[in-house]
Amino acid sequence: MQGKYPWPNNTLAAVSLSYDDALNSQLDNAIPALDKYNFKGSFYLTLASPTFKARKREWQTIAKHGHELGNHTINHACRGSLPNRDWVKPDNDLDNKKVAELVDEITTANEILMQLDNHTIRTFTLPCTDILAGGYNYLEAVTPLFIGIKSNVGRIPKTMKNVNIKSIAVIAAENLSGEQLIAFVRQAENSGTMVNFTFHGVGGDYLSVTAEAHTLLLKFLAKHKDRYWVDTFRNISLHIQSHQ
């Protein structure tokens, strides 16, 4: 592809605001902030999360208002053999699971989410960025189930040429200031590409950013809607697919 990438409305970069694990602070802090500035976020729900179970109707409501419900598996299994993974329980250790088991779990999660939002086109974020289950690549097995996948922590792409929307790198937003978050947006603008933020806690919970940093980013994006296309990862994935 030559020249400027065709983002909608002649904007200069795309911005995906994503939130993992189905946390209270996302419903209590992130959603009101997004709604205030009329932005739509992508919420990757771990369906075994107590917050998902206790506040399921609220997750359904945000979907009706245009936010995306993404698949983050049911149990959020990760590899216990990797460094600093003492928190991984043996019965939820990817090293002890089979690929077929993960495919079944993720397919079931899609079915549960469809009951909430009636969507059949969905995106996925890989828990812990771990792709191996029992030593085999389970991500390859579930890739056909999704239009887009966030699979690793990495850098902003320098070009949209040959971008694989089913293997997108994210910017892990924890402990970043509002100014640092904005700097990543400017970097994407300079490249004419996209920035994919992944938040966990917003003003609470864990792996957090402050509510103030999150709001500063949203204020900046709202001030420059002519420059940045902010949308769900599903819509961004569909747009990229249509231009490949």
Side-chain angles (χ1 to χ4, degrees):
M1 184 176 298
Q2 300 295 321
K4 179 179 177 292
Y5 190 78
W7 295 119
N9 302 316
N10 293 314
T11 48
L12 303 177
V15 180
S16 166
L17 304 170
S18 297
Y19 306 79
D20 283 7
D21 292 2
L23 302 178
N24 283 309
S25 65
Q26 295 167 5
L27 288 170
D28 296 337
N29 300 330
I31 287 291
L34 290 167
D35 289 347
K36 178 179 178 180
Y37 294 101
N38 197 29
F39 290 134
K40 305 306 177 186
S42 299
F43 290 83
Y44 290 91
L45 305 183
T46 304
L47 302 188
S49 161
T51 302
F52 174 74
K53 295 177 179 179
R55 305 179 72 173
K56 185 182 295 186
R57 288 188 179 181
E58 292 176 73
W59 294 113
Q60 185 174 33
T61 296
I62 72 163
K64 291 179 179 178
H65 292 167
H67 299 286
E68 177 186 2
L69 302 185
N71 191 323
H72 202 41
T73 75
I74 295 175
N75 296 305
H76 201 289
C78 297
R79 295 183 61 197
S81 61
L82 295 181
N84 302 314
R85 293 285 180 82
D86 294 342
W87 51 269
V88 175
K89 297 179 180 179
D91 63 351
N92 202 35
D93 188 338
L94 273 181
D95 293 322
N96 301 328
K97 291 183 179 289
K98 297 180 179 179
V99 169
E101 183 179 354
L102 269 295
V103 173
D104 287 345
E105 177 180 329
I106 291 166
T107 300
T108 298
N110 271 351
E111 294 168 353
I112 293 170
L113 292 170
M114 187 173 66
Q115 293 173 12
L116 297 182
D117 63 13
N118 295 317
H119 281 287
T120 56
I121 297 174
R122 202 166 304 281
T123 64
F124 179 66
T125 291
L126 189 69
C128 299
T129 71
D130 294 341
I131 66 172
L132 299 181
Y136 295 92
N137 189 322
Y138 86 85
L139 184 59
E140 290 180 353
V142 302
T143 291
L145 301 176
F146 302 102
I147 183 68
I149 296 175
K150 298 187 177 188
S151 62
N152 60 91
V153 176
R155 299 178 180 178
I156 292 169
K158 295 181 179 180
T159 175
M160 292 304 296
K161 184 178 181 180
N162 299 324
V163 163
N164 181 1
I165 199 62
K166 295 192 177 185
S167 183
I168 289 293
V170 304
I171 301 299
E174 61 265 21
N175 297 319
L176 297 183
S177 68
E179 291 80 4
Q180 288 172 311
L181 295 170
I182 291 168
F184 282 114
V185 176
R186 292 189 186 278
Q187 184 180 340
E189 178 185 357
N190 290 338
S191 299
T193 59
M194 63 191 302
V195 56
N196 299 282
F197 289 112
T198 291
F199 298 91
H200 287 80
V202 177
D205 294 310
Y206 53 82
L207 300 176
S208 302
V209 297
T210 65
E212 292 78 11
H214 183 256
T215 296
L216 188 62
L217 171 64
L218 299 187
K219 283 184 176 179
F220 174 81
L221 294 171
K223 184 179 180 180
H224 300 292
K225 287 188 175 182
D226 59 326
R227 289 157 55 183
Y228 309 118
W229 176 41
V230 182
D231 210 333
T232 63
F233 186 53
R234 175 171 53 219
N235 287 343
I236 292 172
S237 297
L238 287 167
H239 179 81
I240 293 172
Q241 183 189 63
S242 71
H243 287 84
Q244 288 179 334

